Amino acid sequence: MQIFQDKQSLIQALQEIKAAGKSIGFVPTMGALHDGHIALVRSALQITDQVVVSIFVNPTQFNTASDLDKYPRTLQADIALLQKEGDVFVFAPPVSEIYPEEDFFAPFDLEGIDLVMEGKFRPGHFQGVVHVVRNLFQIVQPQKAFFGLKDFQQVAVIRLMTKKLALPIEIVACAIERAPTGLALSSRNLRLSETQKEDALILFQTLELLKKLKKEFSPAVSQEKAIEFFKKGKLELEYLELVSSETLEALDQTWSESSTCCIAAFCGEVRLIDTAQL
Ligand code: AMP
């Protein structure tokens, strides 16, 4: 394993890999790694020759200073976890390496998919995501980049950005890793007490309920019943949306060929998201 903090030394090491005809797989993360991240790393190790994992808590995608401050940072433990996975390159840069002064980035037209759900409740979030991923892609220039479907809307945004910039990068979407209880793994779970982890199961339970509701009811009625069920739990709901998996348009009377539910809610002070294809 090699650890890089400055982009020039990473670029140089990657040039040698590319010159040897090897493919690069890239897994961008914000650290506080768990088995969800490790599943992405393993997928990358299976189908690319050299895997790069970035660990960078991106300030531009947080829309409140306290959320950024409280985001868990566990670099030494992250490195120890990655060491077990094999010969990966870890890129853990300071902010100045990712956002140099001569960084030209104008708000990117994401055709509205950045304005619904997460985008609606976290204004500017996806512009920050697109900015950091574009800059990271420029440095790493991978053939394949791996993202988790836990952040379903993020995958759609990154796919659109990659298409619009005509980048020769395949976006590989990986399944959600869950605890045996059903709780989706998340770095933010580190901030939950044991009781809160139990309270948070309402997210998964609601998604499971929706799979049943879909068989009997329209999206509008299913949404109403699912919200009613969710509100019996202890979390504070931000949104529960049923959307077309392709266009992210809200569903009303008819299900789309592939439909997805996305939920965001607060468990105490911790904001959690979960999603499932129905
Ligand atoms: P983050 O560090 O939260 O920015 O996540 C980095 C990557 O890991 C993103 O592509 C996430 O979607 C993915 N990821 C986070 N949690 C999970 C999970 N439970 N299962 C699968 N992928 C995940």
Side-chain angles (χ1 to χ4, degrees):
M1 185 171 92
Q2 290 186 54
I3 302 168
F4 301 86
Q5 282 173 325
D6 72 292
K7 61 185 171 202
Q8 273 321 322
S9 51
L10 175 66
I11 289 169
Q12 202 175 335
L14 288 173
Q15 266 164 4
E16 287 167 26
I17 303 280
K18 286 172 195 165
K22 293 183 176 166
S23 62
I24 311 288
F26 180 39
V27 182
T29 82
M30 297 205 296
L33 300 184
H34 49 66
D35 284 349
H37 298 110
I38 297 302
L40 301 190
V41 174
R42 289 185 182 160
S43 301
L45 282 165
Q46 267 175 15
I47 58 171
T48 58
D49 299 318
Q50 179 63 59
V51 175
V52 180
V53 180
S54 64
I55 297 178
F56 179 67
V57 181
N58 173 34
T60 68
Q61 73 186 69
F62 285 84
N63 51 333
T64 66
S66 73
D67 198 21
L68 173 61
D69 282 351
K70 288 185 186 153
Y71 200 84
R73 290 161 172 89
T74 59
L75 185 60
Q76 289 317 314
D78 294 348
I79 288 170
L81 264 187
L82 289 171
Q83 203 136 29
K84 292 193 212 145
E85 297 305 315
D87 182 21
V88 300
F89 284 1
V90 178
F91 182 40
V95 171
S96 56
E97 284 295 282
I98 299 299
Y99 296 115
E101 274 173 28
E102 70 291 2
D103 175 24
F104 302 106
F105 181 81
F108 195 89
D109 179 9
L110 288 164
E111 301 175 4
I113 65 166
D114 56 331
L115 302 177
V116 297
M117 300 192 291
E118 284 302 279
K120 186 166 162 193
F121 285 90
R122 302 181 73 187
H125 169 68
F126 285 118
Q127 290 298 330
V129 168
V130 164
H131 192 171
V132 74
V133 173
R134 185 207 65 163
N135 287 11
L136 286 166
F137 278 1
Q138 272 173 357
I139 296 167
V140 180
Q141 302 198 7
Q143 275 77 46
K144 296 180 199 287
F146 298 77
F147 292 86
L149 282 168
K150 159 97 182 345
D151 296 277
F152 164 78
Q153 194 175 358
Q154 173 170 274
V155 173
V157 163
I158 299 297
R159 281 196 201 283
L160 182 62
M161 177 199 82
T162 308
K163 188 172 153 207
K164 289 187 94 160
L165 295 176
L167 301 176
I169 301 172
E170 183 191 336
I171 305 302
V172 183
C174 302
I176 303 177
E177 293 291 315
R178 296 181 181 277
T181 55
L183 181 65
L185 300 183
S186 164
S187 306
R188 290 168 191 265
N189 294 354
L190 287 173
R191 295 176 55 204
L192 300 176
S193 68
E194 288 310 310
T195 316
Q196 285 178 317
K197 279 185 194 163
E198 277 177 33
D199 296 343
L201 293 182
I202 192 81
L203 290 158
F204 179 65
Q205 288 160 354
T206 305
L207 293 169
E208 290 299 292
L209 172 68
L210 269 162
K211 288 179 187 167
K212 294 185 192 131
L213 290 171
K214 180 175 181 259
K215 295 186 182 137
E216 245 187 286
F217 302 104
S218 69
V221 173
S222 302
Q223 183 187 29
E224 199 182 300
K225 288 183 183 292
I227 290 176
E228 198 180 296
F229 173 77
F230 190 92
K231 287 191 168 166
K232 288 188 189 141
K234 298 214 172 96
L235 271 59
E236 195 188 318
L237 184 64
E238 201 163 59
Y239 66 80
L240 183 157
E241 296 278 354
L242 299 173
V243 297
S244 150
S245 308
E246 303 305 322
T247 63
L248 269 59
E249 272 167 41
L251 301 174
D252 184 19
Q253 290 311 310
T254 48
W255 293 97
S256 106
E257 202 172 306
S258 169
S259 308
T260 293
C261 175
C262 297
I263 313 179
F266 279 93
C267 186
E269 282 189 355
V270 185
R271 187 175 184 279
L272 300 174
I273 59 172
D274 204 348
T275 182
Q277 193 177 339
L278 301 176

